[in-house]
Amino acid sequence: MKIINIVGARPNFMKIAPLMESYRDYPHIRPLLVHTGQHYDEKMSDLFFRQLGIPEPDLNLDAGSGSHAAQTASIMTAIEPVLLDERPDALLVVGDVNSTIACGLVAVKLGIPLIHVEAGLRSFDRSMPEEVNRVLTDSISELFFCTEQSGVDNLLAEGIAPGRIHLVGNVMIDTLLRNREKAEASNILAEHGLEAENYAVMTLHRPSNVDDPAAMGRILDAVQTIQQDMPLVFPVHPRTEGRLRHFGLSGQLDSMKNVLRIPPSGYLDFLKLTANAAVVLTDSGGIQEESTILGVPCITLRENTERPVTVEVGANRLAGNDTGRILEAYRRSRLAERGGWAPPPFWDGKAAERTVAVIDQWWDEICGRQRESGELSATAGS
Ligand code: UD1
């Protein structure tokens, strides 16, 4: 079985790493890795490949940045000849970025079955580009791997046959558990003079927060107060860096003495930073999940989450971008007991193993059906 695996943007890399490793237990599966090049900076891409031991991509499409339409179109145009050339038996995509839908759409139109890892998550907020990508990718996928029960329920409600949906757990958490010890060796706390459990970490990159100067201003007002209570580390996404400058908000941030504004961190440094933080403030999806497993209270700077299990277990609070609500969530998070919640089911480091086992079985069944219909010789495909 030849399966092409797609990565494009930073949050894809930690999801693909354990899958590439699990394929090794199945010598008859030949995985190819294609990087779309949606993220291309050393700190947004290459560093993750090295730290997570992801094999060099078999191909890089070098799509780069652009408007949603331009980026999606250039990924589609670049992946089509690859799929025509390679003729894989399946295409696997992870998450919800533009690379996910772009490659998925091209594959299904060429008759290549699409496998979606992290399927079924829904924020029910169509103003988020990722929500559109999620809904569309799921509407054309063949096989669905879910991280939490809400994903299964959403897919069933959308009419997907139960036999195609598999609750396997969270491949991003596989990577976190595998790298936790390694991350302990990071010097990031000492480098910045941070004391464990006595600082906050913040990440921001969603258009709803960083493309609107009023929203970004309200978040910075909350940061102003929080940094008077404890240091706040802020690894700045390139998109956010650009917006801060564009809106003239860089100066306000620079004037806050207890804010450490640093470039985007590598995986291991960031894991060490979150694991030891008193509280995490973020608009990322993955960081809500990571802090849940690390036992660190999370404040999500959004009105909704497609990962409701993180709120249900008590690890995560939704605060939007309103200054008062962020500060109230901060106060409550400070009172919360670290790790005082149970991990969601199957977030145990074995999600990739389960996923590849299901893919293997699915392929076996396809080959069996083809044999019965005489399309395949008795020995091929086994
Ligand atoms: C993308 C994903 C988002 C994910 C995020 C993680 C989509 C729709 N969004 O958002 O779901 O949470 O990645 O980071 O796919 N840039 C660089 N260097 C890079 C990459 C980007 O400087 O290596 C800058 C460029 O100015 C670019 C901007 O960041 O225009 C935005 O990058 P893009 O990939 O379009 O979206 P993200 O905001 O990173």
Side-chain angles (χ1 to χ4, degrees):
M1 178 195 192
K2 189 197 277 187
I3 178 165
I4 293 194
N5 300 269
I6 301 294
V7 286
R10 185 169 61 176
N12 295 161
F13 307 136
M14 35 295 220
K15 294 172 194 168
I16 216 71
L19 290 166
M20 296 307 285
E21 208 178 304
S22 291
Y23 287 130
R24 291 194 199 132
D25 295 335
Y26 297 83
H28 56 281
I29 299 184
R30 185 173 160 231
L32 295 179
L33 184 62
V34 174
H35 191 331
T36 64
Q38 177 175 346
H39 285 175
Y40 43 84
D41 281 356
E42 152 72 18
K43 286 198 157 74
M44 298 293 286
S45 178
D46 296 5
L47 184 55
F48 286 78
F49 274 76
R50 288 200 302 279
Q51 292 193 337
L52 302 178
I54 306 170
E56 278 279 302
D58 295 282
L59 205 75
N60 194 318
L61 306 179
D62 288 323
S65 301
S67 68
H68 283 273
Q71 186 177 63
T72 309
S74 80
I75 297 169
M76 289 178 73
T77 313
I79 192 73
E80 188 175 44
V82 177
L83 299 184
L84 283 168
D85 238 32
E86 293 288 345
R87 284 277 155 203
D89 298 299
L91 185 94
L92 181 143
V93 292
V94 296
D96 53 18
V97 301
N98 286 345
S99 301
T100 308
I101 180 61
C103 295
L105 188 51
V106 175
V108 291
K109 290 205 172 171
L110 293 174
I112 299 164
L114 182 62
I115 300 174
H116 189 200
V117 171
E118 206 186 81
L121 295 180
R122 297 287 181 270
S123 65
F124 301 101
D125 173 1
R126 294 274 175 109
S127 70
M128 280 179 82
E130 294 80 5
E131 179 73 355
V132 177
N133 292 342
R134 287 190 280 263
V135 169
L136 294 180
T137 304
D138 285 337
S139 73
I140 53 175
S141 292
E142 178 73 26
L143 206 51
F144 302 83
F145 293 101
C146 297
T147 52
E148 58 171 271
Q149 185 60 39
S150 76
V152 176
D153 297 342
N154 293 331
L155 292 171
L156 290 174
E158 288 169 20
I160 307 292
R164 289 159 63 194
I165 307 171
H166 303 270
L167 178 59
V168 288
N170 195 322
V171 285
M172 196 172 215
I173 299 304
D174 290 4
T175 295
L176 181 146
L177 296 175
R178 279 173 212 188
N179 286 281
R180 222 180 147 173
E181 248 175 62
K182 229 201 240 174
E184 274 313 305
S186 152
N187 284 326
I188 187 115
L189 300 198
E191 260 168 48
H192 296 291
L194 295 165
E195 190 191 323
E197 296 180 32
N198 194 28
Y199 64 89
V201 178
M202 178 170 81
T203 77
L204 276 184
H205 73 282
R206 293 261 162 235
S208 56
N209 285 329
V210 304
D211 287 359
D212 172 2
M216 190 121 89
R218 288 192 295 273
I219 294 172
L220 292 189
D221 287 345
V223 168
Q224 179 95 44
T225 304
I226 292 170
Q227 57 97 40
Q228 285 162 6
D229 190 42
M230 61 169 71
L232 181 142
V233 189
F234 182 19
V236 188
H237 186 285
R239 168 196 183 83
T240 309
E241 186 62 52
R243 298 279 90 189
L244 280 167
R245 283 178 209 278
H246 180 73
F247 296 139
L249 291 167
S250 262
Q252 185 186 350
L253 199 57
D254 289 340
S255 72
M256 300 182 201
K257 291 199 180 59
N258 240 353
V259 171
L260 285 137
R261 183 173 166 181
I262 60 174
S265 319
Y267 184 77
L268 297 174
D269 279 348
F270 192 72
L271 180 50
K272 172 110 181 199
L273 268 181
T274 22
N276 289 284
V279 59
V280 171
L281 298 101
T282 191
D283 59 10
S284 143
I287 296 171
Q288 297 171 45
E289 301 181 328
E290 290 169 340
S291 55
T292 296
I293 291 300
L294 293 168
V296 178
C298 180
I299 300 170
T300 294
L301 304 171
R302 289 173 43 194
E303 293 298 341
N304 48 55
T305 178
E306 60 289 330
R307 289 147 161 104
V309 75
T310 59
V311 176
E312 284 154 20
V313 299
N316 189 12
R317 289 179 172 76
L318 298 182
N321 53 34
D322 174 78
T323 311
R325 281 176 62 202
I326 298 170
L327 292 176
E328 174 58 17
Y330 175 73
R331 197 185 60 77
R332 284 172 180 271
S333 298
R334 294 287 282 137
L335 297 174
E337 188 198 338
R338 280 172 75 86
W341 49 82
F346 305 120
W347 291 22
D348 58 0
K350 296 190 172 127
E353 272 172 49
R354 292 188 196 102
T355 303
V356 177
V358 172
I359 292 174
D360 180 55
Q361 197 188 348
W362 168 78
W363 178 242
D364 225 38
E365 283 163 14
I366 291 181
C367 291
R369 278 200 298 275
Q370 286 179 345
R371 247 179 244 122
E372 271 168 31
S373 69
E375 280 174 53
L376 205 68
S377 72
T379 49
S382 59

